[in-house]
Each structure stands twice: as C-alpha cells, then as structure tokens.
Amino acid sequence: MCGIVAAITNRNVSSILIEGLKRLEYRGYDSAGIALLDDNNKLIRVRTKGKVEVLEQELKKQPLSGKIGIAHTRWATHGKPTTINAHPHFSSDRVAIVHNGIIENYKDLQQELKEHGYICTSQTDTEIVAHMLDFFLKQGSDLKQAVQKSVKKIKGAYAIVAMEQNNPHQLIAFKKASPLVIGVGIDENFIASDAPALSIVTNRFIYPADENIIVLDDKSVQIYDKNDKLIKSKIVDYTFDSDPIGKGGFSHYMEKEIFEQPATSEQTLEGRISHDKTTIDISNKIPDEILKQVECCHIVACGTSYHAGMVAKYWLEQYAKIPTSIEVASEYRYRSNIVPKNTLYITISQSGETADSIAALKKAQNESNYLSTLVVCNVEQSTMVREAKYNLITRAGVEVGVASTKAFTTQLLTLSILTASLAKLNNDFNEKEFVESLVQLPLKIQQVLEQKEQINKLSTNFKHTNSMLFLGRLTGYPIALEGALKLKEISYIHAESYPAGELKHGPLALIDESLPTIAVVMFEKNTDKLLSNLEEVKSRGGDVYIFADERLKLTEDTQTKIINIPAIDNMLAPILHIIPLQLLAYYVAVHRGTDIDQPRNLAKSVTVE
Ligand code: G6P
C-alpha cells in the first residue's frame, strides 16, 4: 500500500505535496515521486528510490513548479522499490497517475494494451492504468470518462488520482475499498490517502464513498456515483493536534510514543470514570440495552491489534463470563463463520484503515446475523469508525512509529473498560476496585518507564543475538507475543513466542546458551508453573530474563536476570507488562543501529490484502 497526495491551487504545489507525503510515510517509504503540470502544461516529474527526504533533496537540485500535481510514497507490492517502479506513472507523456492498492487483473489488462501498442516499462500493476487512460483519451473520451471506462475494467481494491496535459484544470480520482479524502480549501482543493496529510492546508474534509468518481478543480469538488449522477456530500471540520509529527526532544518517534503512555492512558480514561472514581461509563458510546443482550463476542483484528484482542478474550471470559473468539481478519474474511445468537462483533484497529479488517467488518455487517458491530480504534475519521455501528476511540493521539506502542496500551485500556462494562451488567464484578486500579495505572506506567536505564543495560546483551524466545502464560502469553513482535519489527532479530506450557512440545529442543528466553511473569495462580518452565530452560543451559511482578520477590543468579514490575490489579497487569518489552525492543534496536521508526519492508497502515 502507498500514500497519495494531490493538489490543484493557484500557487506552486510542490512543497504542499512533499509535506503531505511526509505525513503519509506510515503507509510506505521505499520510493517516492511527484509530477506536476508546469506553466506550459508540460508534465514534469522527479522520482527517487528511498524515503521522501531523498525526493526532497533531489527537488532541491531540480526544483519543480506548477499549480496542479500528484505525488506518491510507495510500499512495493508489484516490482522492486526502484526509481522506474516509483509513481507517478506516465503514458505518452500526456497522462499521469498515482495509485494505492492492488490491481488484481493487471496481467490481462497489460496483454490487452500490448495489442494496442502499449509497452510497460515498469514491473508495477499501476502503469497499465496510465496506458488505459491514454487509450480512452485517444478514442475521444475526456479524462473523467476515461477514468470511468478504465475502472469498469479493473478488478481489485485500490484508489487512483489522474491528471492530463490537455486538461490542466482538473484532477480526477476514484476509490474502491481503499482510502481517499478530499481536502476543501479556498480557491484550492486537495485529495490524499488521509486527512493529516493535508493538515497544513485545510481542516475541511469530504469522505467520498466507494466507487464514486471525484472531479476536482480549484473552485469546486464534484462527486459522481456509479451511474454518473452528481451527488451531494457533507463537509466535515476537523482540528488536528498542534504538531503531530514533532519528536519532542526524543531520538525517535517510537521512544517518544513509549514515554507518552502515562499521558495517553489518562486521555483514554477521561470522561469514562465517574467524578468520585467509583464507576465506569461508556453508555454514551454503546448503550447498556445492547451490552445487556451480549451472549458471545467475536473479536477480529490484525497485527498488534490482534494481540490486544487476544488479551480481551481472556478478560471477557474471566470477568464478564462471555464466550469469546479471536481471529485474524485475513482468515476471518474468507472462511465460513458460525454466529451464535446475540453475538457482538468487535474489531480492533489503530488506523481504522487496514484492508483485511475493513473487509472482515463489511462481511460481518452484510452477511452475518450479529447483534451489532463495535470498533475499537484510534482514528475517529477512519473508514472502520464510519462503517461500524458503535465505536470506542482509544485516544492515543497520532502514532508515527511503525511499531505500535501507545496505540496498543490504549487499545488494552479501552478493552478493559468494555470488559468491565459487560461484567458489571452480568455478575458481581468489583467495579470500585477495578476503577481504583485504573486511576493508578498512569503512575505505575511511569514507574516502569523510570527503569529505562536498567532495561537499556540489559538490552546490550542482545546486540549480537540471532534469535530469542518469549514465554508467558494466560494474558502473559499475548504480551509475550507482542514483545516478540516489537523485537522482530525493529531489531530484525528472529523472535518467537509460546505459551510456556507448550515449551516441552518442541521449542525446548532449541534451548542452549545462545538462545535467550524472555519471560512475562505476572502475579496469578499459574505463576509457579511458569517458573518451573523457566527452570527447565535453565537446566538446558539457557539464560532467562524475567519481567516479574514485584510481589513475587524473585532473585537473580548466574543464569537469571530480573526486572521488577509494580504490582497492579490482575486485569490491568498486561498493560503494565508490555511497557518494559517495548523499551527492551527499542534499546536493542538502538544498539543494532536499525531504522527504528521506519523498519525495512513494513508500513504502519496496511491498506492492501
Ligand atoms: C501494520 C502495523 C501494525 C498494526 C497492523 C494492524 O502491520 O505495522 O502496527 O498492528 O498493521 O493495523 P491496525 O491499524 O488495523 O491496528
């Protein structure tokens, strides 16, 4: 998936597009490009391999100027990240295109176009769109008609923006199951993959529906439906955080975001706890009448959000006594699902734009007999928040680091509140005690963060490690999974996670002095069993690094290092226990000198299947 930004104005759009691209790098950053129509209506472009800053440097050497333009930051799906594969793609030097998503039938279309003399110079699935537009333009269509004819032939989930030499006052765009938002200005208009990309130029947005054709000039925005009927659309005002992309004195966004977690937790709790700090209330977001009917939950998510869902499954069954299943969206969307009576569909997504999660949500809404759908999401303006019946916003603020940290802990916190809201309706849940722990949580997170030097020192042990094992039990298991994910994402060390009881069914064969084991040890009824598993590791020569609840008073020896975690109510322990593992992954990556905020091959928001 990729980031798109386009502008039509009365000033030079070059810097607007570059600023937009910088805010879209979370969608991909392996190559970038920009194309403008200059004052003589000639198409000009610069494309570079690497991040947007490389493109920016190149533009300093060869500046571009024009009042209409399109730009792109890429996450390669078809063809390597090279300059030739970077967008915008041209055809006959008269039409230019940027594209996000996947064109599934591009090979067939390529073949068809070859018969008309069009030869692709790149390995992308995008270039054929430029050629198809040129083909229809040559047949007498205008650019809008050419886009309408082309999208009828294209299969897949994608978004495009096109411009044409002979039509220097219009941008034409189309989206199908892929995000695009229109930014409305005064005598200028914009379009991008998301709203923050346009935060420097406007705070007024239109969210077009799927399969609409969008026609932008500097004075107007026209949106046409599938039947070419002009439709009315609502403008939404949105105020952005003051400086969503500043590092605030930290070396990396990820570091800043880890250290923001006491504050983001407070934000998540705001307005959800009564003034006397005894009760929780989310009834303004999801009514008690719905919660009272819930007899089963299906949780569906991807990546880190999936790990949050795994924790919630343990919680919902233990505290609310509600049978709950958890599944990754890419599996859920393609299999046949059985939906018991009164099942609440819960989807979790930091971005609200993950392609598989959106498709799974649509499937749940269209094909299944769910009681209702609820999204736990960090982005209020996202597709998933607009699609789901109910939403709980996690309020982590903008997260820039690709490896999710504060988005994860605020997801957990929100899910803990949801669990408690269900639990108190269904049985004798001790709400007051839970709220007391909630209130203490930001301070306890702060206490964990204060151990940063100790964790940094520990992390030097892993600078040259090739592989690591993460163990946990019960809610400690998804936390171990998330800790392993953080480490592999940013340090590129192979890491895998097991529920500790599974150790003897295979992974024990891997243990020797070269494989460190990280253990998430909470204060709960199975702690002794987990500690016995760690003894099994040590007796086979493995070193163990235990992140343990302080109440256990564990002691160190030559094979055992301990980091103590403050005591907290059992339900909230997973939120506290992930923090040191985030720090560990971060410091290991610092020592290995990797690209922490933008690790290789990854992207923050995955808008392709
Ligand atoms: C990408 C991100 C992860 C995220 C996952 C799901 O892989 O790098 O951090 O957990 O997508 O994204 P979502 O926005 O749906 O939570």
Side-chain angles (χ1 to χ4, degrees), residues 302-305 349-351 354 402 404 603-604 606:
C302 303
T304 286
S305 301
S349 174
Q350 39 108 8
S351 63
T354 303
V402 164
S404 184
K604 181 126 194 90
V606 180

Side-chain angles (χ1 to χ4, degrees), residues 73-128:
T73 178
R74 183 169 184 247
W75 183 85
T77 59
H78 295 71
K80 289 191 174 142
T82 57
T83 307
I84 214 136
N85 287 334
H87 303 210
H89 287 279
F90 285 4
S91 184
S92 304
D93 280 340
R94 74 174 209 178
V95 59
I97 176 104
V98 283
H99 157 232
N100 167 39
I102 290 178
I103 294 167
E104 287 164 5
N105 58 337
Y106 82 101
K107 286 220 160 114
D108 296 342
L109 295 171
Q110 208 171 47
Q111 197 50 43
E112 259 183 53
L113 286 159
K114 202 169 168 189
E115 282 155 26
H116 295 289
Y118 290 99
I119 304 295
C120 286
T121 52
S122 74
Q123 290 86 49
T124 64
D125 55 340
T126 305
E127 193 184 340
I128 53 117

Side-chain angles (χ1 to χ4, degrees), residues 414-433:
T414 309
L415 289 162
S416 78
I417 294 171
L418 174 69
T419 304
S421 304
L422 284 160
K424 72 176 185 178
L425 292 173
N426 292 346
N427 53 62
D428 57 348
F429 177 72
N430 192 335
E431 188 180 6
K432 189 164 174 286
E433 210 172 278

Side-chain angles (χ1 to χ4, degrees), residues 457-515:
K457 196 163 156 235
L458 194 77
S459 70
T460 55
N461 288 305
F462 311 121
K463 191 174 171 191
H464 303 294
T465 299
N466 292 324
S467 185
M468 284 166 79
L469 184 63
F470 284 65
L471 298 178
R473 272 179 180 256
L474 303 175
T475 51
Y477 168 51
I479 294 304
L481 275 169
E482 176 61 13
L485 178 65
K486 287 305 89 150
L487 187 81
K488 62 189 140 192
E489 278 179 315
I490 59 168
S491 74
Y492 315 146
I493 294 177
H494 168 253
E496 59 180 312
S497 173
Y498 270 89
E502 279 290 293
L503 192 60
K504 52 195 165 299
H505 298 297
L508 209 48
L510 298 172
I511 302 291
D512 62 18
E513 50 290 338
S514 70
L515 183 82

